[in-house]
Amino acid sequence: MKKIDVFNHIWPKPFHEALIAHVGETTDITRRSEAVPMMTDLDRRFEVMDMFGPDYQQILSLASPPFEKYAEPDKALELAQIASDSMAELCQQYPDRFPGFIGTAVLSNPDAMVEEARRNIEDLGACGMQIFTNVSGKPLDLPEFEPFFDYMGRSGKAVWMHPARGANFPDYLTEDRSEYEIWWTLGWPYETSAAMARMVFSGLFDRHPGLRVVTHHAGGMIPFFEGRVGPGWDQMGARTTDRDLAAVRKALKRPHLEYFKDFYADTASFGSRKAIEHAIEFFGEDHVMFASDAPFDPEKGPMYIRETIRILDELDVSEEVRRKIYQDNAAKLLGLDV
């Protein structure tokens, strides 16, 4: 069977050059990306991929941070176009290695976000569009982003959601920054979970029933907190007296837990077997897809791929389920031939 890695990251050479020309030098999380050879060196990427045989393939996507962290809306659009054009070209040149790519939405540019998504999907053949869990601190359920989700719900292609949170988001109200990279280790799973909740309770999926969202890192915290998410939120409003939150839950067309289970999740869990097992148990065998989050591991490429494959090969599941996770679910969602 194929092993289709649906969420790993790259900076194609034309995009990397355009980024450096714009920012001058990388810092913080952009420096982290640039320091990994596999991110920008295609030969090194091929060397790593070859370690896992000809059946290992990658769906390409850009890495953090969101464009708005370092570019104004017009420049963000320009960089997004360079990135998508470059990834599309890589897929055309190396279809056996890269059967598809995910464009990155420019939600910071509301005048262009729908057209750029359309260009990616209808002109370039993107498998879907990547968004981040907030847009310069704005939640995704604001009306200004509704046209994007409307288009994606009608497009037949999925949205890939990547967490975004930095050290400027403090862990305590008395401080002005997050310490010890808590913003990443614990903040990113929270970001994913919070964005999922805002999508559900704002009625986004009721308004756009065709919308499908892939969550990074095995669905964040949601599978681990099924009890709080399910029966706990059945009591929404009991803890709040200044507004009627029970009405929010009752306004949904289905029980809220069903919406959370409709998300897709990947297996990018940094080598955590339990995270993958929980994701399969919560989202179901048809909604979990193989992903490594390469190349952001201590070995700068092969470790997360190797460890994720080892865990999946050792899981106590049927070969049918293993095949779904490795290739069939991705092929169905992304429209790939395997």
Side-chain angles (χ1 to χ4, degrees), residues 114-169:
V114 174
E115 171 56 26
E116 181 59 11
R118 187 211 62 78
R119 188 184 79 91
N120 270 263
I121 291 169
E122 298 177 30
D123 296 348
L124 299 181
C127 295
M129 295 298 292
Q130 177 177 226
I131 64 172
F132 291 83
T133 49
N134 67 78
V135 184
S136 296
K138 295 180 180 179
L140 295 172
D141 59 331
L142 291 182
E144 64 191 87
F145 306 127
E146 193 88 4
F148 170 79
F149 291 113
D150 176 64
Y151 172 77
M152 293 305 298
R154 293 183 286 104
S155 73
K157 299 297 182 181
V159 173
W160 268 250
M161 187 164 67
H162 195 292
R165 185 173 177 136
N168 63 328
F169 199 122

Side-chain angles (χ1 to χ4, degrees), residues 79-198:
L79 291 170
Q81 291 172 336
I82 293 170
S84 292
D85 291 347
S86 301
M87 289 189 288
E89 184 176 345
L90 287 173
C91 291
Q92 292 168 359
Q93 291 179 329
Y94 308 101
D96 292 337
R97 291 187 182 273
F98 310 130
F101 78 97
I102 307 160
T104 299
V106 283
L107 298 186
S108 62
N109 191 328
D111 293 334
M113 63 183 176
V114 174
E115 171 56 26
E116 181 59 11
R118 187 211 62 78
R119 188 184 79 91
N120 270 263
I121 291 169
E122 298 177 30
D123 296 348
L124 299 181
C127 295
M129 295 298 292
Q130 177 177 226
I131 64 172
F132 291 83
T133 49
N134 67 78
V135 184
S136 296
K138 295 180 180 179
L140 295 172
D141 59 331
L142 291 182
E144 64 191 87
F145 306 127
E146 193 88 4
F148 170 79
F149 291 113
D150 176 64
Y151 172 77
M152 293 305 298
R154 293 183 286 104
S155 73
K157 299 297 182 181
V159 173
W160 268 250
M161 187 164 67
H162 195 292
R165 185 173 177 136
N168 63 328
F169 199 122
D171 311 308
Y172 295 93
L173 293 176
T174 57
E175 298 178 340
D176 59 8
R177 63 173 291 146
S178 173
E179 298 294 342
Y180 314 119
E181 296 185 352
I182 292 172
W183 59 268
W184 180 89
T185 306
L186 303 177
W188 278 19
Y190 174 83
E191 269 286 326
T192 298
S193 308
M196 293 166 71
R198 292 292 290 253

Side-chain angles (χ1 to χ4, degrees), residues 161 189 192-193 196-197 200 205 213-226 229 256-268 274-289 321 324-325 329:
M161 187 164 67
T192 298
S193 308
M196 293 166 71
V200 169
F205 295 107
V213 178
V214 181
T215 62
H216 207 6
H217 309 136
M221 298 162 55
I222 298 298
F224 296 90
F225 292 100
E226 181 175 6
V229 172
H256 66 275
L257 190 59
E258 292 184 12
Y259 295 90
F260 283 98
K261 288 180 176 288
D262 281 346
F263 285 94
Y264 287 76
D266 67 26
T267 63
K274 286 300 181 184
I276 294 173
E277 290 175 344
H278 283 315
I280 297 170
E281 290 169 1
F282 183 83
F283 297 106
E285 63 190 46
D286 295 323
H287 276 225
V288 177
M289 298 181 291
V321 170
K324 285 182 178 182
I325 295 171
N329 293 340

